[in-house]
PDB file of all heavy atoms in Angstrom:
ATOM      1  N   ARG A  51     -14.697 -14.330 -25.186  1.00 68.00           N
ATOM      2  CA  ARG A  51     -13.563 -15.184 -24.859  1.00 68.00           C
ATOM      3  C   ARG A  51     -12.326 -14.388 -24.484  1.00 68.00           C
ATOM      4  O   ARG A  51     -11.519 -14.825 -23.693  1.00 68.00           O
ATOM      5  CB  ARG A  51     -13.221 -16.085 -26.039  1.00 68.00           C
ATOM      6  CG  ARG A  51     -14.250 -17.133 -26.279  1.00 68.00           C
ATOM      7  CD  ARG A  51     -13.828 -17.980 -27.423  1.00 68.00           C
ATOM      8  NE  ARG A  51     -14.501 -19.261 -27.300  1.00 68.00           N
ATOM      9  CZ  ARG A  51     -14.226 -20.290 -28.036  1.00 68.00           C
ATOM     10  NH1 ARG A  51     -13.282 -20.223 -28.940  1.00 68.00           N
ATOM     11  NH2 ARG A  51     -14.890 -21.406 -27.878  1.00 68.00           N
ATOM     12  N   LYS A  52     -12.141 -13.237 -25.085  1.00 72.00           N
ATOM     13  CA  LYS A  52     -10.899 -12.488 -24.888  1.00 72.00           C
ATOM     14  C   LYS A  52     -11.076 -11.221 -24.058  1.00 72.00           C
ATOM     15  O   LYS A  52     -10.112 -10.676 -23.567  1.00 72.00           O
ATOM     16  CB  LYS A  52     -10.308 -12.103 -26.246  1.00 72.00           C
ATOM     17  CG  LYS A  52      -9.894 -13.293 -27.086  1.00 72.00           C
ATOM     18  CD  LYS A  52      -9.323 -12.849 -28.397  1.00 72.00           C
ATOM     19  CE  LYS A  52      -8.964 -14.050 -29.263  1.00 72.00           C
ATOM     20  NZ  LYS A  52      -8.483 -13.643 -30.576  1.00 72.00           N
ATOM     21  N   GLU A  53     -12.300 -10.742 -23.940  1.00 67.00           N
ATOM     22  CA  GLU A  53     -12.537  -9.453 -23.309  1.00 67.00           C
ATOM     23  C   GLU A  53     -13.255  -9.616 -21.968  1.00 67.00           C
ATOM     24  O   GLU A  53     -14.115 -10.469 -21.817  1.00 67.00           O
ATOM     25  CB  GLU A  53     -13.362  -8.564 -24.247  1.00 67.00           C
ATOM     26  CG  GLU A  53     -12.638  -8.299 -25.542  1.00 67.00           C
ATOM     27  CD  GLU A  53     -13.518  -7.695 -26.618  1.00 67.00           C
ATOM     28  OE1 GLU A  53     -14.738  -7.951 -26.622  1.00 67.00           O
ATOM     29  OE2 GLU A  53     -12.986  -6.972 -27.457  1.00 67.00           O
ATOM     30  N   ILE A  54     -12.896  -8.762 -21.028  1.00 68.00           N
ATOM     31  CA  ILE A  54     -13.452  -8.821 -19.675  1.00 68.00           C
ATOM     32  C   ILE A  54     -14.690  -7.931 -19.602  1.00 68.00           C
ATOM     33  O   ILE A  54     -14.634  -6.758 -19.955  1.00 68.00           O
ATOM     34  CB  ILE A  54     -12.412  -8.354 -18.645  1.00 68.00           C
ATOM     35  CG1 ILE A  54     -11.239  -9.327 -18.658  1.00 68.00           C
ATOM     36  CG2 ILE A  54     -13.016  -8.214 -17.261  1.00 68.00           C
ATOM     37  CD1 ILE A  54     -10.063  -8.903 -17.831  1.00 68.00           C
ATOM     38  N   VAL A  55     -15.802  -8.495 -19.135  1.00 67.00           N
ATOM     39  CA  VAL A  55     -17.021  -7.700 -19.006  1.00 67.00           C
ATOM     40  C   VAL A  55     -17.672  -7.818 -17.629  1.00 67.00           C
ATOM     41  O   VAL A  55     -18.577  -7.067 -17.323  1.00 67.00           O
ATOM     42  CB  VAL A  55     -18.069  -8.069 -20.078  1.00 67.00           C
ATOM     43  CG1 VAL A  55     -17.587  -7.704 -21.452  1.00 67.00           C
ATOM     44  CG2 VAL A  55     -18.440  -9.530 -20.017  1.00 67.00           C
ATOM     45  N   LYS A  56     -17.236  -8.730 -16.815  1.00 72.00           N
ATOM     46  CA  LYS A  56     -17.887  -8.934 -15.526  1.00 72.00           C
ATOM     47  C   LYS A  56     -17.551  -7.849 -14.524  1.00 72.00           C
ATOM     48  O   LYS A  56     -18.293  -7.612 -13.592  1.00 72.00           O
ATOM     49  CB  LYS A  56     -17.524 -10.308 -14.964  1.00 72.00           C
ATOM     50  CG  LYS A  56     -18.129 -11.446 -15.754  1.00 72.00           C
ATOM     51  CD  LYS A  56     -17.803 -12.775 -15.133  1.00 72.00           C
ATOM     52  CE  LYS A  56     -18.414 -13.899 -15.958  1.00 72.00           C
ATOM     53  NZ  LYS A  56     -18.101 -15.198 -15.406  1.00 72.00           N
ATOM     54  N   SER A  57     -16.420  -7.205 -14.682  1.00 79.00           N
ATOM     55  CA  SER A  57     -15.992  -6.177 -13.738  1.00 79.00           C
ATOM     56  C   SER A  57     -16.570  -4.820 -14.120  1.00 79.00           C
ATOM     57  O   SER A  57     -16.999  -4.602 -15.246  1.00 79.00           O
ATOM     58  CB  SER A  57     -14.470  -6.079 -13.732  1.00 79.00           C
ATOM     59  OG  SER A  57     -13.892  -7.285 -13.334  1.00 79.00           O
ATOM     60  N   SER A  58     -16.528  -3.920 -13.161  1.00 91.00           N
ATOM     61  CA  SER A  58     -16.924  -2.540 -13.427  1.00 91.00           C
ATOM     62  C   SER A  58     -15.954  -1.602 -12.733  1.00 91.00           C
ATOM     63  O   SER A  58     -15.197  -2.011 -11.849  1.00 91.00           O
ATOM     64  CB  SER A  58     -18.357  -2.284 -12.949  1.00 91.00           C
ATOM     65  OG  SER A  58     -18.464  -2.571 -11.575  1.00 91.00           O
ATOM     66  N   LYS A  59     -15.951  -0.379 -13.185  1.00 94.00           N
ATOM     67  CA  LYS A  59     -15.146   0.673 -12.574  1.00 94.00           C
ATOM     68  C   LYS A  59     -16.108   1.738 -12.070  1.00 94.00           C
ATOM     69  O   LYS A  59     -17.175   1.945 -12.642  1.00 94.00           O
ATOM     70  CB  LYS A  59     -14.191   1.305 -13.594  1.00 94.00           C
ATOM     71  CG  LYS A  59     -13.139   0.366 -14.117  1.00 94.00           C
ATOM     72  CD  LYS A  59     -12.212   1.099 -15.082  1.00 94.00           C
ATOM     73  CE  LYS A  59     -11.107   0.219 -15.591  1.00 94.00           C
ATOM     74  NZ  LYS A  59     -10.150   0.971 -16.430  1.00 94.00           N
ATOM     75  N   TRP A  60     -15.712   2.423 -11.000  1.00 95.00           N
ATOM     76  CA  TRP A  60     -16.528   3.490 -10.437  1.00 95.00           C
ATOM     77  C   TRP A  60     -15.712   4.779 -10.414  1.00 95.00           C
ATOM     78  O   TRP A  60     -14.522   4.762 -10.105  1.00 95.00           O
ATOM     79  CB  TRP A  60     -16.986   3.131  -9.027  1.00 95.00           C
ATOM     80  CG  TRP A  60     -18.038   2.058  -9.040  1.00 95.00           C
ATOM     81  CD1 TRP A  60     -17.835   0.714  -9.085  1.00 95.00           C
ATOM     82  CD2 TRP A  60     -19.446   2.255  -9.031  1.00 95.00           C
ATOM     83  NE1 TRP A  60     -19.034   0.052  -9.099  1.00 95.00           N
ATOM     84  CE2 TRP A  60     -20.048   0.979  -9.061  1.00 95.00           C
ATOM     85  CE3 TRP A  60     -20.264   3.374  -8.989  1.00 95.00           C
ATOM     86  CZ2 TRP A  60     -21.418   0.794  -9.066  1.00 95.00           C
ATOM     87  CZ3 TRP A  60     -21.632   3.198  -8.980  1.00 95.00           C
ATOM     88  CH2 TRP A  60     -22.198   1.923  -9.022  1.00 95.00           C
ATOM     89  N   TYR A  61     -16.383   5.881 -10.752  1.00 96.00           N
ATOM     90  CA  TYR A  61     -15.760   7.198 -10.777  1.00 96.00           C
ATOM     91  C   TYR A  61     -16.621   8.182  -9.999  1.00 96.00           C
ATOM     92  O   TYR A  61     -17.831   8.000  -9.883  1.00 96.00           O
ATOM     93  CB  TYR A  61     -15.619   7.698 -12.221  1.00 96.00           C
ATOM     94  CG  TYR A  61     -14.629   6.912 -13.040  1.00 96.00           C
ATOM     95  CD1 TYR A  61     -15.025   5.799 -13.776  1.00 96.00           C
ATOM     96  CD2 TYR A  61     -13.293   7.283 -13.097  1.00 96.00           C
ATOM     97  CE1 TYR A  61     -14.115   5.074 -14.529  1.00 96.00           C
ATOM     98  CE2 TYR A  61     -12.381   6.572 -13.853  1.00 96.00           C
ATOM     99  CZ  TYR A  61     -12.798   5.473 -14.568  1.00 96.00           C
ATOM    100  OH  TYR A  61     -11.894   4.765 -15.315  1.00 96.00           O
ATOM    101  N   PHE A  62     -16.005   9.241  -9.524  1.00 96.00           N
ATOM    102  CA  PHE A  62     -16.705  10.324  -8.842  1.00 96.00           C
ATOM    103  C   PHE A  62     -17.092  11.394  -9.855  1.00 96.00           C
ATOM    104  O   PHE A  62     -16.310  11.702 -10.753  1.00 96.00           O
ATOM    105  CB  PHE A  62     -15.813  10.960  -7.763  1.00 96.00           C
ATOM    106  CG  PHE A  62     -15.693  10.121  -6.528  1.00 96.00           C
ATOM    107  CD1 PHE A  62     -14.807   9.050  -6.482  1.00 96.00           C
ATOM    108  CD2 PHE A  62     -16.458  10.390  -5.404  1.00 96.00           C
ATOM    109  CE1 PHE A  62     -14.688   8.269  -5.347  1.00 96.00           C
ATOM    110  CE2 PHE A  62     -16.355   9.616  -4.264  1.00 96.00           C
ATOM    111  CZ  PHE A  62     -15.472   8.549  -4.239  1.00 96.00           C
ATOM    112  N   TYR A  63     -18.270  11.974  -9.682  1.00 95.00           N
ATOM    113  CA  TYR A  63     -18.640  13.122 -10.509  1.00 95.00           C
ATOM    114  C   TYR A  63     -17.779  14.336 -10.157  1.00 95.00           C
ATOM    115  O   TYR A  63     -17.608  15.222 -10.970  1.00 95.00           O
ATOM    116  CB  TYR A  63     -20.118  13.474 -10.316  1.00 95.00           C
ATOM    117  CG  TYR A  63     -21.053  12.649 -11.165  1.00 95.00           C
ATOM    118  CD1 TYR A  63     -21.745  11.578 -10.620  1.00 95.00           C
ATOM    119  CD2 TYR A  63     -21.246  12.941 -12.499  1.00 95.00           C
ATOM    120  CE1 TYR A  63     -22.608  10.824 -11.382  1.00 95.00           C
ATOM    121  CE2 TYR A  63     -22.105  12.189 -13.286  1.00 95.00           C
ATOM    122  CZ  TYR A  63     -22.781  11.127 -12.719  1.00 95.00           C
ATOM    123  OH  TYR A  63     -23.629  10.382 -13.486  1.00 95.00           O
ATOM    124  N   ASP A  64     -17.249  14.369  -8.950  1.00 94.00           N
ATOM    125  CA  ASP A  64     -16.492  15.526  -8.475  1.00 94.00           C
ATOM    126  C   ASP A  64     -15.225  15.046  -7.768  1.00 94.00           C
ATOM    127  O   ASP A  64     -15.303  14.350  -6.759  1.00 94.00           O
ATOM    128  CB  ASP A  64     -17.375  16.327  -7.518  1.00 94.00           C
ATOM    129  CG  ASP A  64     -16.747  17.608  -7.027  1.00 94.00           C
ATOM    130  OD1 ASP A  64     -15.507  17.700  -6.957  1.00 94.00           O
ATOM    131  OD2 ASP A  64     -17.510  18.528  -6.684  1.00 94.00           O
ATOM    132  N   ASN A  65     -14.063  15.432  -8.296  1.00 93.00           N
ATOM    133  CA  ASN A  65     -12.797  15.057  -7.671  1.00 93.00           C
ATOM    134  C   ASN A  65     -12.677  15.594  -6.247  1.00 93.00           C
ATOM    135  O   ASN A  65     -11.996  14.998  -5.417  1.00 93.00           O
ATOM    136  CB  ASN A  65     -11.608  15.586  -8.493  1.00 93.00           C
ATOM    137  CG  ASN A  65     -11.064  14.555  -9.455  1.00 93.00           C
ATOM    138  OD1 ASN A  65     -11.230  13.364  -9.270  1.00 93.00           O
ATOM    139  ND2 ASN A  65     -10.406  15.032 -10.494  1.00 93.00           N
ATOM    140  N   GLY A  66     -13.317  16.718  -5.958  1.00 94.00           N
ATOM    141  CA  GLY A  66     -13.239  17.302  -4.624  1.00 94.00           C
ATOM    142  C   GLY A  66     -13.798  16.368  -3.566  1.00 94.00           C
ATOM    143  O   GLY A  66     -13.255  16.269  -2.460  1.00 94.00           O
ATOM    144  N   ILE A  67     -14.881  15.690  -3.890  1.00 95.00           N
ATOM    145  CA  ILE A  67     -15.457  14.722  -2.949  1.00 95.00           C
ATOM    146  C   ILE A  67     -14.475  13.584  -2.721  1.00 95.00           C
ATOM    147  O   ILE A  67     -14.217  13.186  -1.585  1.00 95.00           O
ATOM    148  CB  ILE A  67     -16.823  14.217  -3.449  1.00 95.00           C
ATOM    149  CG1 ILE A  67     -17.827  15.367  -3.447  1.00 95.00           C
ATOM    150  CG2 ILE A  67     -17.312  13.044  -2.610  1.00 95.00           C
ATOM    151  CD1 ILE A  67     -19.141  15.051  -4.107  1.00 95.00           C
ATOM    152  N   ARG A  68     -13.908  13.088  -3.796  1.00 94.00           N
ATOM    153  CA  ARG A  68     -12.917  12.012  -3.662  1.00 94.00           C
ATOM    154  C   ARG A  68     -11.738  12.469  -2.808  1.00 94.00           C
ATOM    155  O   ARG A  68     -11.291  11.771  -1.907  1.00 94.00           O
ATOM    156  CB  ARG A  68     -12.420  11.563  -5.021  1.00 94.00           C
ATOM    157  CG  ARG A  68     -11.414  10.429  -4.900  1.00 94.00           C
ATOM    158  CD  ARG A  68     -10.373  10.485  -5.994  1.00 94.00           C
ATOM    159  NE  ARG A  68      -9.433   9.382  -5.797  1.00 94.00           N
ATOM    160  CZ  ARG A  68      -8.131   9.570  -5.649  1.00 94.00           C
ATOM    161  NH1 ARG A  68      -7.611  10.772  -5.651  1.00 94.00           N
ATOM    162  NH2 ARG A  68      -7.331   8.543  -5.489  1.00 94.00           N
TER     163      ARG A  68
END
Side-chain angles (χ1 to χ4, degrees):
R51 290 181 157 189
K52 296 180 182 176
E53 299 167 331
I54 296 172
V55 294
K56 291 183 181 179
S57 299
S58 58
K59 295 182 178 185
W60 288 85
Y61 292 90
F62 284 81
Y63 276 101
D64 184 333
N65 265 337
I67 294 171
R68 181 213 179 237

